[in-house]
Amino acid sequence: MSSLSEKDRPIVQLLLSTGTCPRCILRFCCVGSQMLYRHPHKDLMKDLQEFLRNSQEKEDTVCLDVVDPPCKRIRLEHGEEGADDLNHNGAIPSAGDGNSATESSAVKVCNVCLGILQEFCEADFVKKVCQKVNSADYQFTSFVFSVSLPPQLSVREHAAWLGVKQQMRNLGLALAKDDIVQLKEAYKWIIHPQLSEELGVPADGKSLFEVSVVFAHPETDEECHFLATACPDCFKPAKNKQSVFTRMAVIKALEKIKEEDFLKYFPCPPSSPKNLCDALEIQCNNGAVFVAGRYNKYSRNLPQTPWIIDGERKLESSVEELISEHLMAEFKADRRPFAIELVNPRRIRFTAEEMRRLQQAINDSSDKIQVRDLQLVTREAIGRMKEGEEEKTKTYSALIWTDKAIQREDIAFLDDIKELKLDQKTPLRVLHRRPLAVRCRLIHTMKSEYIDEHHFRLHLKTQAGTYIKEFVHGDFGRTKPNIGSLLNRTADILELDVESVDVDWPPTLAD
């Protein structure tokens, strides 16, 4: 095996004898050749055993004055009684004992990767993953592959590294933990070409289509629990985590714990497990697709979003539901945060003609809304739209009632008010779904239209995000100033129409 040198021999012998798989041995020998990891497991095992035999034959024929002190030193030390090794499961075999490494390597499940770099690199598992992807019926032109590993793998890798580090120290050499090829990296080197060939598309780290595998190993789940005693500060409960023993928490604890304390709790090298890892979940997820357009609403009883309070629906439908119902069906998306962002869509490619037909289907479905300029846009475009929220203006028409009689001259002064600053505390009517805050908003212009002693119409041009109803009635003093306070009487709103949204987005499409 040309990628290995003489300095790797004691590492190979140590790990092979304690139940470590060939690919993990290559990782600990810092082998960076991706092609080598893709060789069949049996071939790699034979190559490693051949490497040990060849190394032993060279050493047997070498003269005493040949300069090769590291290997002679380790051979002599291991041959001595009471040698200083870290093997808690039995003595490390001497360099001359090639058979012992071969016999120990018969352990089926790797004591470091728990089988990730064994069974789960084989063609059968790759086909299982691809069957899951194909059955999900996604559109994609590339993929990114992600792996979630059980946190105890980090503990086992740390234990194996301590053993290898001791061997290297005996040789007068050093092995930094960061120099070891990461398990995830090695796994992707092996699995990527197989998935690409089976799916017929390339692996791409920037792809929006993700294929993920979640591994677990119940047999060894409790192996990292001792770290909570040794490093309690590293393990704190989190709302969204089922267990405090997350991979990042375990890694943080392993960086903090002293070697001697670690060795009190955990065997080095780690013991061989009885069972392989389980592939708990094979999941697919597509990056969100963003659809933009403009709409007109023709009903005052149709809210923008579903009006549901304490689990009870107050109105039959909403703008969001009427539009997104058709989009969800066509894009085969999982859910619809309104913007409209379609999460995890199976279908992602639509022609301009297909979008026009979809727009027409929405318009034909209800007489309460009409959509135009429906189009696919990028996430960046949505971001630019949100950045412009503060500058966007909206024009309203409000029918207002007053408890005390009014004359034309009583409301005429409203026409002269420009850039009126409001302080609006989150309205009571939306407090169940919006955080409590005080928002500063602007009424740019107002124009009054007298109707009778108790009614007038007010045309307003405002900063987007202004609560118009609350500006009229005051919301029990939560919006200041308000029409009631300006007129010095009780005011309420009877009708409210949005006449225009003054923003040139998304681009107008030709008919």
Side-chain angles (χ1 to χ4, degrees), residues 35-47:
M35 289 301 298
L36 194 55
Y37 288 87
R38 295 168 190 161
H39 289 183
H41 181 273
K42 290 182 179 179
D43 292 351
L44 287 173
M45 180 66 77
K46 290 179 181 178
D47 289 344

Side-chain angles (χ1 to χ4, degrees), residues 320-334:
E320 176 184 334
E321 291 167 301
L322 289 175
I323 295 175
S324 60
E325 176 184 351
H326 296 273
L327 296 176
M328 293 282 292
E330 289 297 324
F331 283 81
K332 302 179 182 179
D334 283 352

Side-chain angles (χ1 to χ4, degrees), residues 127-408:
K127 288 180 180 178
K128 181 180 178 181
V129 173
C130 293
Q131 286 171 358
K132 175 73 173 181
V133 173
N134 292 330
S135 66
D137 195 27
Y138 281 91
Q139 286 182 342
F140 57 95
T141 56
S142 62
F143 71 92
V144 61
F145 182 66
S146 65
V147 186
S148 176
L149 301 176
Q152 60 266 33
L153 280 182
S154 298
V155 177
R156 287 179 160 264
E157 184 146 313
H158 189 76
W161 171 66
L162 290 179
V164 171
K165 189 172 75 164
Q166 177 64 51
Q167 289 286 59
M168 299 299 281
R169 188 180 299 153
N170 292 340
L171 298 171
L173 300 172
L175 176 65
K177 196 172 184 180
D178 290 343
D179 291 337
I180 300 169
V181 175
Q182 294 298 304
L183 175 55
K184 281 187 179 182
E185 187 174 13
Y187 187 53
K188 290 178 182 180
W189 289 348
I190 303 163
I191 212 83
H192 272 174
Q194 299 184 69
L195 287 174
S196 292
E197 183 177 357
E198 195 75 22
L199 295 173
V201 296
D204 181 357
K206 295 182 180 180
S207 176
L208 295 179
F209 180 63
E210 180 185 27
V211 179
S212 61
V213 180
V214 178
F215 288 107
H217 195 258
E219 179 187 339
T220 59
D221 268 348
E222 297 182 0
E223 288 189 345
C224 49
H225 290 191
F226 74 91
L227 290 171
T229 302
C231 306
D233 293 345
C234 297
F235 300 93
K236 296 179 181 178
K239 291 182 180 179
N240 300 325
K241 301 293 183 182
Q242 294 181 344
S243 170
V244 296
F245 297 101
T246 63
R247 180 174 172 271
M248 293 309 298
V250 168
I251 289 174
K252 186 178 179 181
L254 291 174
E255 291 172 349
K256 188 174 181 180
I257 193 171
K258 295 179 180 178
E259 288 186 17
E260 56 269 26
D261 292 334
F262 180 89
L263 294 172
K264 290 177 184 176
Y265 294 101
F266 201 83
C268 179
S271 58
S272 296
K274 296 179 182 178
N275 303 302
L276 285 166
C277 273
D278 296 327
L280 283 187
E281 296 177 2
I282 301 172
Q283 298 177 327
C284 304
N285 188 72
N286 228 344
V289 167
F290 296 88
V291 179
R294 299 180 75 106
Y295 68 89
N296 293 334
K297 185 175 74 167
Y298 300 114
S299 171
R300 295 191 182 95
N301 295 322
L302 185 69
Q304 304 300 105
T305 57
W307 192 8
I308 300 171
I309 300 177
D310 296 331
E312 182 182 352
R313 179 180 279 274
K314 299 298 183 181
L315 291 174
E316 181 180 349
S317 190
S318 65
V319 172
E320 176 184 334
E321 291 167 301
L322 289 175
I323 295 175
S324 60
E325 176 184 351
H326 296 273
L327 296 176
M328 293 282 292
E330 289 297 324
F331 283 81
K332 302 179 182 179
D334 283 352
R335 56 189 178 91
R336 52 178 200 289
F338 197 67
I340 291 171
E341 176 187 358
L342 298 167
V343 175
N344 194 21
R346 273 64 172 176
R347 188 179 177 189
I348 57 175
R349 293 188 290 275
F350 283 79
T351 65
E353 179 58 32
E354 287 175 321
M355 292 301 291
R356 280 193 290 269
R357 288 201 296 266
L358 182 52
Q359 175 176 293
Q360 190 60 48
I362 294 171
N363 293 339
D364 291 344
S365 69
S366 173
D367 59 1
K368 295 180 179 181
I369 60 165
Q370 287 287 290
V371 172
R372 64 180 174 86
D373 299 328
L374 194 69
Q375 57 195 278
L376 293 173
V377 296
T378 64
R379 181 183 292 273
E380 290 73 24
I382 292 288
R384 288 193 294 272
M385 179 196 71
K386 291 181 178 179
E387 289 170 3
E389 287 288 343
E390 297 298 317
E391 289 74 37
K392 185 170 67 177
T393 60
K394 298 177 78 172
T395 303
Y396 296 90
S397 173
L399 178 60
I400 298 173
W401 167 89
T402 62
D403 65 333
K404 296 179 182 178
I406 56 171
Q407 301 301 319
R408 293 180 187 277

Side-chain angles (χ1 to χ4, degrees), residues 73-88 90-94 166-167 170:
R73 177 184 175 191
I74 196 167
R75 177 167 60 85
L76 290 171
E77 286 183 353
H78 289 166
E80 291 170 2
E81 189 175 349
D84 181 19
D85 65 69
L86 295 176
N87 186 352
H88 293 189
I92 297 172
S94 70
Q166 177 64 51
Q167 289 286 59
N170 292 340

